Amino acid sequence: MKKSHLFSLVFFYLLLVSVSCDVIHDSCDKAAKGDPNIKFDFCVSSFEGNPKAKTATGVADLVKVAIETSMANATSTGLIISKLLDNKTLDTYARNCLEDCSELYSGAGSSIQSGGKAFEGKDYGTANAEISSAMDAPDTCEEQFKEKKGYVSPLTKENNNFFQLLAIVVSFMNLVPK
């Protein structure tokens, strides 16, 4: 391969990485400034390590990655809940809360899938409504534990991260040119 071809390939790669980094940072900056629930550093770190996000050329590409990331997070949290439910020493109240959380995260996963399909079909109103409805899951899950004095949710970190990921999806969808 000629040196000029190699140089061109390296230059193109660096340009692509630079563009995707700008897309991530710019989109996260706008999202964080527009929604107090979104932390800029969390947003950036959620995408910088993702190979699909690194090739994003616009915010619409990031919406797709954010939807996939949210779906994976819901699935992961569901597995954490299952492991917690394996604990035979859980009292009835904690077990009921975790079972409810499991159902909430399952429903959220369905809403995310529907929202993703709607986004792909450019039905942005439905996509926004579906993703927004999934945002109820982490809040409701967290609040259940607080209803009874002395209980602390074992899912606070997961609930906060999931809520923030969904807020990012909604924020990014609102940035997509219509």
Side-chain angles (χ1 to χ4, degrees):
M1 183 180 278
K2 292 183 181 179
K3 285 185 179 180
S4 64
H5 286 95
L6 182 60
F7 176 76
S8 295
L9 284 173
V10 169
F11 178 76
F12 178 72
Y13 174 77
L14 291 174
L15 182 64
L16 184 63
V17 169
S18 173
V19 167
S20 68
C21 189
D22 286 346
V23 169
I24 293 169
H25 282 252
D26 290 347
S27 300
C28 286
D29 184 55
K30 289 176 184 172
K33 286 179 179 172
D35 186 336
N37 295 305
I38 300 172
K39 307 293 180 253
F40 175 79
D41 290 339
F42 178 88
C43 182
V44 170
S45 68
S46 297
F47 297 101
E48 280 188 332
N50 187 313
K52 289 182 182 179
K54 287 182 181 180
T55 60
T57 57
V59 71
D61 294 334
L62 285 181
V63 170
K64 295 171 191 170
V65 174
I67 288 171
E68 290 175 11
T69 302
S70 297
M71 190 65 208
N73 186 277
T75 301
S76 173
T77 301
L79 293 172
I80 291 168
I81 293 168
S82 292
K83 287 180 182 171
L84 291 169
L85 285 168
D86 286 342
N87 181 350
K88 304 297 182 207
T89 62
L90 279 176
D91 67 33
T92 303
Y93 185 78
R95 182 168 301 283
N96 288 341
C97 287
L98 288 169
E99 287 171 350
D100 287 348
C101 290
S102 180
E103 288 180 31
L104 289 163
Y105 272 87
S106 177
S110 296
S111 294
I112 294 167
Q113 285 181 329
S114 297
K117 288 178 185 173
F119 182 80
E120 288 290 328
K122 298 191 185 319
D123 182 357
Y124 300 130
T126 299
N128 195 312
E130 290 288 343
I131 299 299
S132 294
S133 74
M135 294 174 84
D136 290 339
D139 276 345
T140 304
C141 176
E142 192 68 23
E143 288 303 314
Q144 287 185 102
F145 285 95
K146 294 178 182 175
E147 287 177 5
K148 192 167 183 180
K149 188 176 180 175
Y151 279 83
V152 177
S153 171
L155 300 167
T156 298
K157 180 181 177 189
E158 290 81 5
N159 287 331
N160 290 339
N161 288 347
F162 186 58
F163 184 87
Q164 197 168 169
L165 284 170
L166 293 171
I168 290 167
V169 174
V170 171
S171 182
F172 282 4
M173 282 194 298
N174 291 332
L175 296 174
V176 172
K178 310 299 187 270

